[in-house]
Amino acid sequence: MTHLFIGLSKGMNTNLTLTDSAAAKLAKLKTAEGNDTLMLRVYVTGGGCSGFSYGFDFAEELGDDDATFEHGTETLVVDSLSYQYLAGSTIDYIEGLEGSRFIVNNPNATTTCGCGSSFSI
């Protein structure tokens, strides 16, 4: 799939990375859903306490403007609008006292909120 580099600086890391932990959790979720074709979609929406919010969902099909990133047999999907805010990010899965969740480690974020689900650039 062709990657879209809308508004990205030259020399900027444009990959998105899915950690081993996130890939393993995605594999478990696919098994639980009984659907091996599911992909993890990460996206950015307006709102949240810092301006933008991260969202996660399953994707069964790719849109015309989607970019994909592979980690073994697992696939991460992002649309072109969200991609410009997520370029260079790492998607991880953590389990802790605050619960279990996917998180985005975004080098483009200048501020983030305490919950880690919203950011600003």
Side-chain angles (χ1 to χ4, degrees):
M1 168 145 284
T2 303
H3 298 289
L4 304 171
F5 301 108
I6 301 167
L8 300 178
S9 301
K10 186 175 181 177
M12 178 182 203
N13 179 5
T14 56
N15 284 327
L16 270 72
T17 304
L18 196 61
T19 66
D20 291 342
S21 177
K25 183 60 178 180
L26 178 55
K28 287 179 185 177
L29 291 170
K30 286 168 44 175
T31 299
E33 290 290 320
N35 186 345
D36 288 338
T37 64
L38 292 176
M39 300 170 280
L40 180 64
R41 178 178 294 281
V42 60
Y43 57 91
V44 173
T45 60
C49 49
S50 293
F52 295 103
S53 293
Y54 300 115
F56 296 94
D57 200 359
F58 282 130
E60 290 188 82
E61 297 179 9
L62 296 174
D64 291 339
D65 69 338
D66 285 341
T68 60
F69 301 89
E70 308 292 327
H71 182 92
T73 60
E74 307 311 322
T75 303
L76 180 67
V77 178
V78 63
D79 64 89
S80 62
L81 182 60
S82 298
Y83 181 77
Q84 61 187 325
Y85 299 108
L86 294 169
S89 294
T90 300
I91 311 305
D92 198 5
Y93 183 78
I94 60 169
E95 295 180 4
L97 295 175
E98 299 167 352
S100 304
R101 64 181 192 244
F102 287 101
I103 61 166
V104 178
N105 295 312
N106 187 343
N108 307 305
T110 56
T111 59
T112 59
C113 68
C115 67
S117 65
S118 69
F119 68 103
S120 65
I121 293 184

mmCIF file of all heavy atoms in Angstrom, residues 5-14:
data_model
loop_
_atom_site.group_PDB
_atom_site.id
_atom_site.type_symbol
_atom_site.label_atom_id
_atom_site.label_comp_id
_atom_site.label_asym_id
_atom_site.label_seq_id
_atom_site.Cartn_x
_atom_site.Cartn_y
_atom_site.Cartn_z
ATOM 1 N N PHE A 5 2.074 11.060 2.547
ATOM 2 C CA PHE A 5 2.931 11.910 3.366
ATOM 3 C C PHE A 5 2.455 13.352 3.332
ATOM 4 O O PHE A 5 3.180 14.258 2.986
ATOM 5 C CB PHE A 5 4.382 11.804 2.893
ATOM 6 C CG PHE A 5 4.914 10.415 2.964
ATOM 7 C CD1 PHE A 5 5.128 9.681 1.816
ATOM 8 C CD2 PHE A 5 5.174 9.821 4.179
ATOM 9 C CE1 PHE A 5 5.603 8.393 1.879
ATOM 10 C CE2 PHE A 5 5.646 8.528 4.258
ATOM 11 C CZ PHE A 5 5.869 7.810 3.101
ATOM 12 N N ILE A 6 1.215 13.565 3.693
ATOM 13 C CA ILE A 6 0.594 14.887 3.658
ATOM 14 C C ILE A 6 1.112 15.721 4.829
ATOM 15 O O ILE A 6 0.930 15.370 5.985
ATOM 16 C CB ILE A 6 -0.936 14.763 3.735
ATOM 17 C CG1 ILE A 6 -1.436 13.924 2.568
ATOM 18 C CG2 ILE A 6 -1.586 16.126 3.769
ATOM 19 C CD1 ILE A 6 -2.866 13.486 2.695
ATOM 20 N N GLY A 7 1.763 16.814 4.526
ATOM 21 C CA GLY A 7 2.183 17.753 5.570
ATOM 22 C C GLY A 7 3.260 17.230 6.496
ATOM 23 O O GLY A 7 3.415 17.746 7.589
ATOM 24 N N LEU A 8 4.043 16.230 6.079
ATOM 25 C CA LEU A 8 5.087 15.694 6.931
ATOM 26 C C LEU A 8 6.425 16.325 6.573
ATOM 27 O O LEU A 8 6.718 16.589 5.421
ATOM 28 C CB LEU A 8 5.170 14.172 6.786
ATOM 29 C CG LEU A 8 3.897 13.414 7.156
ATOM 30 C CD1 LEU A 8 4.089 11.927 6.919
ATOM 31 C CD2 LEU A 8 3.501 13.668 8.594
ATOM 32 N N SER A 9 7.252 16.554 7.574
ATOM 33 C CA SER A 9 8.553 17.157 7.356
ATOM 34 C C SER A 9 9.523 16.154 6.754
ATOM 35 O O SER A 9 9.496 14.970 7.089
ATOM 36 C CB SER A 9 9.124 17.665 8.683
ATOM 37 O OG SER A 9 8.271 18.606 9.258
ATOM 38 N N LYS A 10 10.397 16.644 5.883
ATOM 39 C CA LYS A 10 11.411 15.792 5.283
ATOM 40 C C LYS A 10 12.312 15.236 6.381
ATOM 41 O O LYS A 10 12.699 15.944 7.299
ATOM 42 C CB LYS A 10 12.233 16.597 4.276
ATOM 43 C CG LYS A 10 13.202 15.757 3.503
ATOM 44 C CD LYS A 10 13.889 16.567 2.440
ATOM 45 C CE LYS A 10 14.824 15.649 1.676
ATOM 46 N NZ LYS A 10 15.471 16.342 0.578
ATOM 47 N N GLY A 11 12.637 13.960 6.297
ATOM 48 C CA GLY A 11 13.490 13.320 7.291
ATOM 49 C C GLY A 11 12.738 12.825 8.520
ATOM 50 O O GLY A 11 13.318 12.212 9.399
ATOM 51 N N MET A 12 11.454 13.086 8.589
ATOM 52 C CA MET A 12 10.640 12.668 9.731
ATOM 53 C C MET A 12 10.384 11.164 9.656
ATOM 54 O O MET A 12 10.194 10.623 8.580
ATOM 55 C CB MET A 12 9.320 13.426 9.698
ATOM 56 C CG MET A 12 8.362 13.082 10.776
ATOM 57 S SD MET A 12 6.848 14.055 10.522
ATOM 58 C CE MET A 12 6.233 14.034 12.166
ATOM 59 N N ASN A 13 10.395 10.477 10.799
ATOM 60 C CA ASN A 13 10.039 9.065 10.842
ATOM 61 C C ASN A 13 8.565 8.935 10.487
ATOM 62 O O ASN A 13 7.713 9.455 11.191
ATOM 63 C CB ASN A 13 10.300 8.490 12.232
ATOM 64 C CG ASN A 13 9.919 7.026 12.344
ATOM 65 O OD1 ASN A 13 9.535 6.382 11.365
ATOM 66 N ND2 ASN A 13 10.028 6.494 13.536
ATOM 67 N N THR A 14 8.274 8.249 9.398
ATOM 68 C CA THR A 14 6.902 8.174 8.920
ATOM 69 C C THR A 14 6.235 6.838 9.213
ATOM 70 O O THR A 14 5.075 6.649 8.874
ATOM 71 C CB THR A 14 6.850 8.451 7.405
ATOM 72 O OG1 THR A 14 7.711 7.521 6.739
ATOM 73 C CG2 THR A 14 7.276 9.876 7.107
#
